[in-house]
Amino acid sequence: MKRHNISLLTLSGFSAVVAIVATLLLVFGNVNAEESVPAVVEALPSGVVQWGFLAAALATGLSALGAGIAVASVGSAAIGALAEKPELLGRSLIIIGLAEGIAIYGLIISILILNKVL
């Protein structure tokens, strides 16, 4: 791996780890579910809210990790292509944008999960 690939992977890995640690603190913390959850959600079985938080964090964290890996590989290839043919700038930006979209899809999924749980 080249040096710039490692920095992108480190940044995306860090954001994935922060999301997972925050969810684990919510799941295994001393939070009482009856106090933190609105009265509408009381019909849900116990633990559903905690597993929903875990699922939302995993969706966001793993999609950010995947997007970091994709942008690292596609971005380095795009820079190499631009060095030889500068007219490929538009195409390479579109491809990099598609790779970044993976993180947005994970964020949308986590918002949908949290809307169902909360």
Side-chain angles (χ1 to χ4, degrees):
M1 287 185 148
K2 296 180 182 174
R3 181 121 177 109
H4 54 85
N5 290 348
I6 293 173
S7 65
L8 287 175
L9 288 175
T10 304
L11 182 62
S12 64
F14 177 73
S15 63
V17 168
V18 167
I20 290 172
V21 167
T23 301
L24 289 177
L25 287 174
L26 283 172
V27 170
F28 297 113
N30 292 330
V31 176
N32 192 355
E34 288 81 22
E35 294 174 2
S36 64
V37 178
V40 178
V41 185
E42 288 181 8
L44 293 174
S46 64
V48 170
V49 175
Q50 293 174 345
W51 284 107
F53 284 143
L54 181 65
L58 285 175
T60 303
L62 293 177
S63 66
L65 184 65
I69 293 170
V71 168
S73 62
V74 170
S76 63
I79 295 297
L82 286 175
E84 293 183 13
K85 288 187 176 181
E87 62 268 9
L88 294 177
L89 177 66
R91 292 180 186 172
S92 63
L93 286 178
I94 291 172
I95 293 172
I96 292 173
L98 289 173
E100 289 176 0
I102 296 171
I104 296 171
Y105 297 144
L107 183 65
I108 290 170
I109 293 298
S110 66
I111 290 171
L112 290 174
I113 291 171
L114 290 176
N115 279 338
K116 286 289 185 182
V117 171
L118 295 178

